[in-house]
Amino acid sequence: MSFATGIFFILYIQLFYKVRNKRKRFLYTLFFHTILTVFLSVSSVIKIGSFSIAFSDASLLVLIFTFFAMFLNQRICIRKEIMYAVLVFIALIILSWIINTIFSRNVLVVPMGKFWEISNVSKPFFSFTYINYLVRFIFFFLVLLVSRKIISRKELLYFKKLFLNVGKIVLLFGIFEFITKTYVPNVFSIIVNILFNDTSNYFINTRGGITPILGFTFEPSQFVWSNLFFGLILINSKEKNKLFWFVLTIIEILISMSFTSILVSVILSVYAIYDFDYRDRIIFITIIILAIICISFAENSSIISYYSDRFQKVQITAVGKSYETNINSEIRIQSIMYTLSQFLYTPFLGSGLGTSYSYSALVTFLASCGLCPFLIYIYIFKYFCKKWCNISLISSICCLFAFFFAGAISDFYTFILPFCLILCNIKFNKEELYDRNSHFKLFDL
């Protein structure tokens, strides 16, 4: 058993031992699952031969148990029109499967489960594994609708504090990872083996002359993606030394050497300049200006050359509309371009949930599900969020822009997106903030 697995079991055993209230148990498991989904994707809780269970899947099983234990124990009323919307969403997904897989419409997709390349296109086909996606969406809707009835402002503030604390730990680990990978990689491998009993995901290969940061994820792009949500929530918080933690976030994103690093850095920087108070805004803009000046004097830097080369190749791919390449960053753009054209061919019902994918969460959702289910999703999503706050236009644009160029369809049925937008926009008064900062501790909703 790895150290991380031991901590996982201790955490949940403590939870069930100390928290007897079923509603609170459900909220804790919802918060824990969301945090694990964002920050921890490397290794598994249990691995026996070829069988393994990821941390996020194990926490999801616990969440399902606590959800139904609470749901069956107390009566929770949900508005009829919202339940009708969920039923229409299900019906449209099933109808899309029937139209596109049974009657074989003239549309070609790259099916999920295959590496994205143009040679793998085929007509949409139905697989019972696709039912898994629909079940995930149904459970997502049910949890949102039930949570809306039972979660309080105080509990949201607790979740925000817990999320930020975990994010800071990940950033500190990123510093440790970068130093040890650079100077004593063997020591880092030993430590990671103790933590996870598996070092296969922690490659030491260099990118742009440096070793990329992965945090507790399986690849640099996943590390960048988790820090997108952490950064968005951090910007709107009242954390001490917020500017320091935010600048550290941007630095670690950039030295992860992922193709999405520049995208996420720009999104977070724009949102920070918009939302920071006057003092932090001026300091951050000054840091950006100084960084640009330093970059202008370091044109031959291997890091700058690395990002510049990848950007140029992507630009050529996008302009030339070519699908012949084996470069990962170019394939990402190809997948988005091709799948977007597929959406325009079947705009209303898509090609069928699970039948198609790209390296874009938004484009994959639209192409596989269609515009009609997407609008229903937005309607339910908005209903959940508006109880606590109005989602600002700038935070919505930031998420949409990120989801257009990165992510996967699973980002639409995990819980980080709704909670991220709520925690980005909800405002807490000084009394609430003082109370939670003074008395914050685990198992203390």
Side-chain angles (χ1 to χ4, degrees):
M1 178 185 292
S2 68
F3 181 80
T5 299
I7 293 296
F8 179 88
F9 282 115
I10 290 172
L11 179 67
Y12 278 98
I13 290 171
Q14 283 282 88
L15 168 62
F16 279 83
Y17 175 74
K18 289 191 173 183
V19 181
R20 301 292 182 177
N21 183 281
K22 292 183 178 180
R23 185 190 72 87
K24 286 189 175 183
R25 277 184 181 177
F26 162 67
L27 290 180
Y28 273 116
T29 53
L30 175 59
F31 296 161
F32 292 166
H33 170 66
T34 303
I35 290 172
L36 286 171
T37 302
V38 174
F39 293 110
L40 183 59
S41 61
V42 68
S43 191
S44 307
V45 175
I46 298 173
K47 188 173 184 179
I48 304 173
S50 60
F51 173 79
S52 63
I53 300 177
F55 284 92
S56 58
D57 290 335
S59 63
L60 177 62
L61 292 175
V62 180
L63 173 61
I64 292 171
F65 171 78
T66 57
F67 172 78
F68 285 105
M70 181 209 63
F71 188 75
L72 297 174
N73 188 58
Q74 64 184 85
R75 185 176 180 179
I76 300 173
C77 297
I78 299 173
R79 285 173 54 182
K80 288 183 179 180
E81 56 266 36
I82 299 298
M83 288 306 302
Y84 290 153
V86 174
L87 293 176
V88 171
F89 180 90
I90 297 170
L92 291 176
I93 294 298
I94 295 174
L95 179 62
S96 178
W97 280 336
I98 293 173
I99 292 174
N100 289 289
T101 60
I102 295 179
F103 293 99
S104 298
R105 293 183 63 182
N106 293 322
V107 58
L108 296 176
V109 302
V110 176
M112 285 192 175
K114 288 190 176 183
F115 181 75
W116 204 101
E117 57 181 27
I118 198 67
S119 61
N120 284 331
V121 296
S122 63
K123 289 187 176 181
F125 63 89
F126 176 78
S127 170
F128 284 101
T129 59
Y130 297 158
I131 296 176
N132 171 59
Y133 293 105
L134 180 57
V135 171
R136 292 287 188 105
F137 272 107
I138 295 171
F139 183 67
F140 170 80
F141 290 141
L142 288 176
V143 171
L144 287 194
L145 298 178
V146 170
S147 299
R148 189 182 188 277
K149 292 290 183 180
I150 66 173
I151 197 170
S152 67
R153 284 170 55 89
K154 182 179 179 181
E155 289 156 349
L156 280 174
L157 179 55
Y158 174 93
F159 180 36
K160 187 170 187 175
K161 187 69 178 178
L162 181 63
F163 188 93
L164 290 173
N165 284 346
V166 174
K168 290 176 184 177
I169 293 172
V170 174
L171 289 178
L172 293 175
F173 181 80
I175 297 173
F176 167 79
E177 178 185 357
F178 180 74
I179 294 173
T180 53
K181 269 185 175 181
T182 304
Y183 298 105
V184 282
N186 291 334
V187 173
F188 178 77
S189 297
I190 293 171
I191 293 173
V192 169
N193 194 46
I194 294 172
L195 287 174
F196 299 109
N197 280 349
D198 184 7
T199 59
S200 58
N201 288 321
Y202 278 89
F203 57 86
I204 311 296
N205 300 358
T206 60
R207 289 185 178 185
I210 66 172
T211 52
I213 296 177
L214 283 75
F216 299 125
T217 63
F218 60 87
E219 64 174 0
S221 62
Q222 190 67 30
F223 175 77
V224 172
W225 196 239
S226 66
N227 276 290
L228 166 68
F229 301 113
F230 172 76
L232 289 172
I233 296 172
L234 177 67
I235 290 169
N236 190 252
S237 71
K238 297 294 183 182
E239 290 292 296
K240 292 181 179 179
N241 303 315
K242 177 173 70 174
L243 184 59
F244 165 79
W245 289 108
F246 182 73
V247 172
L248 179 61
T249 302
I250 296 296
I251 292 172
E252 292 200 11
I253 286 174
L254 290 174
I255 62 175
S256 71
M257 309 308 291
S258 167
F259 177 63
T260 56
S261 297
I262 302 296
L263 169 70
V264 171
S265 299
V266 170
I267 290 173
L268 290 178
S269 297
V270 170
Y271 187 55
I273 292 172
Y274 170 83
D275 201 72
F276 273 168
D277 58 35
Y278 180 77
R279 175 182 170 275
D280 286 347
R281 183 183 298 120
I282 294 300
I283 295 174
F284 183 61
I285 291 174
T286 303
I287 292 173
I288 292 176
I289 294 172
L290 292 174
I292 293 173
I293 293 172
C294 292
I295 290 172
S296 66
F297 286 102
E299 293 182 354
N300 296 322
S301 167
S302 58
I303 299 176
I304 297 172
S305 299
Y306 173 81
Y307 279 119
S308 177
D309 289 344
R310 295 192 72 174
F311 181 77
Q312 289 177 5
K313 290 175 181 177
V314 166
Q315 193 176 26
I316 293 171
T317 301
V319 173
K321 296 182 179 180
S322 170
Y323 297 109
E324 299 300 326
T325 183
N326 58 0
I327 308 290
N328 188 42
S329 54
E330 295 178 60
I331 289 173
R332 288 174 178 269
I333 298 300
Q334 290 176 2
S335 72
I336 295 172
M337 291 166 52
Y338 182 85
T339 310
L340 186 60
S341 66
Q342 172 203 317
F343 161 67
L344 297 176
Y345 187 80
T346 56
F348 298 109
L349 293 178
S351 61
L353 178 60
T355 62
S356 173
Y357 86 102
S358 69
Y359 290 96
S360 162
L362 181 60
V363 173
T364 300
F365 193 121
L366 289 171
S368 60
C369 296
L371 191 60
C372 295
F374 180 73
L375 292 176
I376 294 174
Y377 178 93
I378 296 297
Y379 172 69
I380 299 171
F381 188 95
K382 185 177 179 181
Y383 170 77
F384 171 73
C385 294
K386 72 178 182 180
K387 176 182 177 180
W388 296 285
C389 61
N390 292 317
I391 305 301
S392 69
L393 180 61
I394 183 67
S395 60
S396 299
I397 291 174
C398 286
C399 285
L400 283 174
F401 197 70
F403 274 53
F404 185 86
F405 289 100
I409 196 170
S410 59
D411 291 307
F412 283 100
Y413 59 68
T414 53
F415 302 98
I416 183 54
L417 179 58
F419 281 122
C420 176
L421 284 174
I422 289 172
L423 299 181
C424 280
N425 290 276
I426 196 167
K427 304 292 184 181
F428 295 97
N429 59 49
K430 292 182 179 179
E431 290 76 17
E432 290 172 324
L433 184 65
Y434 174 80
D435 177 63
R436 298 315 301 166
N437 279 338
S438 300
H439 303 94
F440 175 84
K441 63 178 181 179
L442 208 56
F443 307 124
D444 185 33
L445 284 178

